[in-house]
Amino acid sequence: MKTDREGARAPGSFCMARTPAGIDVPPGLFLTSYTGLTDKPRNDTPFLRHLLVHPAHPADMGALLTSFANLVFELGRRWRFTLASGRFGTLARDMAYSTTIRRRRRTRRIDRAGNPAAIGRWLLFVAGLVALMVVVGGITRLTESGLSIAYWKPVSGILPPLDAEAWQRTFAAYQATPEYRLVNRGMTLDEFKSIFWWEYVHRLLGRLIGLAYGFPLLVLWMRRRIPSGLKPRLLLIFLLGGAQGLLGWFMVKSGLVHEPQVSHYRLAAHLLLAILIFSLLLWTALDLLEPRHGSRQRRWRAMAMVLLLLVVVQIGLGALVAGLKAGYAFNTWPKMGEHWLPPELFALKPFWRNFFDNAIMVQFLHRLNAMLVAGWCLLIAVSTWRFEAPPRTIAAALALLLLIVGQIWLGIVTLVEGVPVAIAAAHQAGAVLVLALTLYFLHMNRRTAHHL
Ligand code: HEM
């Protein structure tokens, strides 16, 4: 074949196309009929790449025959090579690869049975309801309403007291609790109603989320509309939702015995389980709504995972601060009172208890870890810019940095102002937003089959 300096064919010369397998085939013959592709090879068919030839005419029976001949030849060549060299690995790898391709095509075919985008939007909606639930839960705690309903009736409790007698019964149950005896003795029925409604709305929203998730899940399942690989995860989310209801009552119960205060461990567990359910819902929604998300870049994936860990630790510490009412002490910033390191940091014994039960240490850690979160996110933003990440990745990193700075500012105001309800509730909402954007950034940079 005559070519000029650049390897291009000389005009008007008759040329044979050479496959990567070194087979010369006459012009006009090519393989599209076999691969079903146009002239650009798809990168998920390495096994077939060797057989591609230069296209000359689309629907050429000769091309089909030639490609089939090539395929037989190629398979024969590989078997001979494998038998001769004993390197079954190469053939096995290629076979495995095409099996993966076949499996992926099959799942894609099944996925098409459902409507991934609609299911993704439904999951996003439920995630939004869970985020709202976290904030309503925070307001219920901040308004000291969490212990107002001294019983748990998952089904019949859906209705509030509808008449005076029913209100009297509910109020009487509350009057038997430590909170009424030790904190709200002499409270009137009307005053009781103001704390009752927050707890009632919190529990009602929990039931509504159960319905908004459980009912569509049941319908989709029965109509076989759930994308195949998602069933276990959607079932897990349902079970975790049920467990969250139980954990919520288990937490309330801890405040109905001696002290009118729920266990800060159970509060932290309740908040962290809510955060886990929210994350699973959001991640699954992103899987369905952003299937193209993914990156070959390990750097941002690894950094995003570290950030996610720091944010989850920060949320856990925040729950301990809230549960121990630590926000009502040391209402100064940046110092804690007169000190950078208050002397009471290690006041408790044994030593480990300081990190969970010592309100001063927990507040100190919440402040310190917030700076770690901000510093690490700054590092991510700078590295996305420095290493020329795709514009969407740079924008997401910058948005995350701004959100975290805003959340820190809200935290400082919550502390300095002595935990006003509205600001503290906004701080709680900000924490969920920081988590959501961190998950989104990680999802953008996730590893997928297409980005191996
Ligand atoms: C990335 C930064 C931060 C995140 C993600 C975060 C998250 C949280 C969360 C989830 C809570 C628990 C709310 C609850 O259970 O109701 C909380 C509580 C709290 N945070 Fe932060 N926080 C951050 C930074 C800060 C900073 C910098 C301060 C102050 C210097 C601060 C002060 C507080 C206070 C005082 C509370 C207790 C409020 C209450 O009793 O409800 N936070 N935080």
Side-chain angles (χ1 to χ4, degrees):
M1 176 178 354
K2 286 205 291 315
T3 58
D4 60 16
R5 265 187 318 292
E6 269 75 40
R9 277 181 303 230
S13 69
F14 172 74
C15 70
M16 295 290 279
R18 166 157 296 155
T19 70
I23 305 168
D24 283 341
V25 292
L29 300 189
F30 69 105
L31 290 165
T32 49
S33 52
Y34 179 83
T35 59
L37 284 178
T38 56
D39 58 5
K40 204 159 107 353
R42 237 170 48 178
N43 62 9
D44 61 354
T45 53
F47 189 50
L48 302 164
R49 200 175 301 146
H50 300 291
L51 307 176
L52 278 176
V53 295
H54 294 296
H57 188 282
D60 187 311
M61 272 313 291
L64 193 63
L65 289 173
T66 317
S67 56
F68 186 70
N70 274 335
L71 180 68
V72 174
F73 172 83
E74 184 59 27
L75 278 178
R77 191 179 72 81
R78 282 172 173 269
W79 271 110
R80 259 202 326 279
F81 168 72
T82 315
L83 291 175
S85 67
R87 287 172 56 191
F88 288 90
T90 330
L91 188 64
R93 193 198 60 228
D94 275 345
M95 310 286 289
Y97 206 93
S98 38
T99 325
T100 330
I101 303 294
R102 268 199 300 278
R103 193 177 319 122
R104 210 178 292 144
R105 278 207 193 110
R106 205 175 41 249
T107 42
R108 256 201 296 267
R109 250 195 318 280
I110 291 172
D111 285 349
R112 274 201 206 97
N115 180 346
I119 295 175
R121 284 191 292 274
W122 160 58
L123 292 172
L124 207 57
F125 169 68
V126 180
L129 286 179
V130 173
L132 178 65
M133 185 65 171
V134 169
V135 177
V136 170
I139 297 172
T140 305
R141 181 184 52 72
L142 287 158
T143 54
E144 313 274 345
S145 311
L147 299 175
S148 58
I149 306 181
Y151 52 80
W152 189 41
K153 297 178 183 152
V155 180
S156 60
I158 201 164
L159 290 176
L162 297 174
D163 55 33
E165 196 200 330
W167 271 114
Q168 277 307 331
R169 266 201 315 275
T170 309
F171 189 28
Y174 176 67
Q175 287 171 318
T177 64
E179 186 174 78
Y180 178 83
R181 287 199 315 271
L182 301 173
V183 182
N184 293 331
R185 186 173 286 280
M187 174 186 251
T188 63
L189 178 58
D190 281 342
E191 286 165 343
F192 167 68
K193 286 181 180 174
S194 67
I195 59 170
F196 170 90
W197 285 117
W198 271 119
E199 178 60 12
Y200 172 78
V201 168
H202 184 60
R203 295 189 190 190
L204 181 68
L205 191 52
R207 292 179 179 102
L208 288 179
I209 295 175
L211 287 175
Y213 183 77
F215 186 65
L217 180 66
L218 185 67
V219 173
L220 288 167
W221 199 293
M222 287 165 66
R223 300 177 68 191
R224 299 175 187 283
R225 285 268 176 263
I226 296 182
S228 63
L230 286 191
K231 283 183 182 160
R233 204 190 306 176
L234 295 183
L235 201 57
L236 173 68
I237 293 172
F238 183 74
L239 295 174
L240 288 176
Q244 179 67 329
L246 280 171
L247 186 55
W249 174 239
F250 182 56
M251 178 188 73
V252 168
K253 267 203 327 187
S254 67
L256 299 177
V257 189
H258 305 300
E259 289 299 313
Q261 184 167 342
V262 298
S263 144
H264 56 289
Y265 287 104
R266 296 185 195 183
L267 175 72
H270 192 51
L271 180 61
L272 288 173
L273 183 52
I275 290 299
L276 174 64
I277 295 169
F278 173 78
S279 306
L280 285 172
L281 284 165
L282 181 62
W283 191 268
T284 313
L286 288 173
D287 277 352
L288 296 167
L289 294 169
E290 296 281 3
R292 297 206 163 288
H293 265 181
S295 157
R296 280 200 181 80
Q297 270 301 338
R298 258 183 251 150
R299 175 183 298 119
W300 295 306
R301 186 161 47 246
M303 292 177 91
M305 282 184 190
V306 173
L307 183 67
L308 181 63
L309 183 67
L310 288 172
V311 168
V312 171
V313 167
Q314 183 65 0
I315 291 173
L317 284 168
L320 293 179
V321 171
L324 289 166
K325 297 192 184 314
Y328 298 95
F330 291 105
N331 299 108
T332 53
W333 196 84
K335 282 185 174 181
M336 291 180 73
E338 301 302 308
H339 308 279
W340 289 103
L341 293 174
E344 305 87 347
L345 281 182
F346 300 103
L348 296 184
K349 297 263 179 296
F351 181 76
W352 65 266
R353 280 195 54 216
N354 287 295
F355 298 93
F356 300 97
D357 301 336
N358 181 342
I360 298 162
M361 170 61 97
V362 166
Q363 190 198 110
F364 173 77
L365 291 175
H366 192 62
R367 292 174 182 229
L368 182 67
N369 194 56
M371 296 309 132
L372 282 181
V373 170
W376 187 256
C377 188
L378 180 63
L379 213 61
I380 293 179
V382 170
S383 97
T384 56
W385 171 73
R386 166 86 180 67
F387 295 103
E388 294 165 356
R392 284 187 67 194
T393 306
I394 298 177
L398 274 177
L400 196 46
L401 184 61
L402 287 176
L403 195 60
I404 286 171
V405 170
Q407 172 65 358
I408 288 175
W409 176 77
L410 270 176
I412 294 169
V413 177
T414 303
L415 185 70
V416 169
E417 298 294 329
V419 192
V421 173
I423 309 266
H427 186 59
Q428 177 107 337
V432 181
L433 282 179
V434 167
L435 175 73
L437 200 50
T438 306
L439 285 167
Y440 184 83
F441 184 77
L442 178 58
H443 197 271
M444 280 176 97
N445 293 286
R446 68 181 172 154
R447 195 169 82 137
T448 69
H450 297 291
H451 302 90
L452 288 176

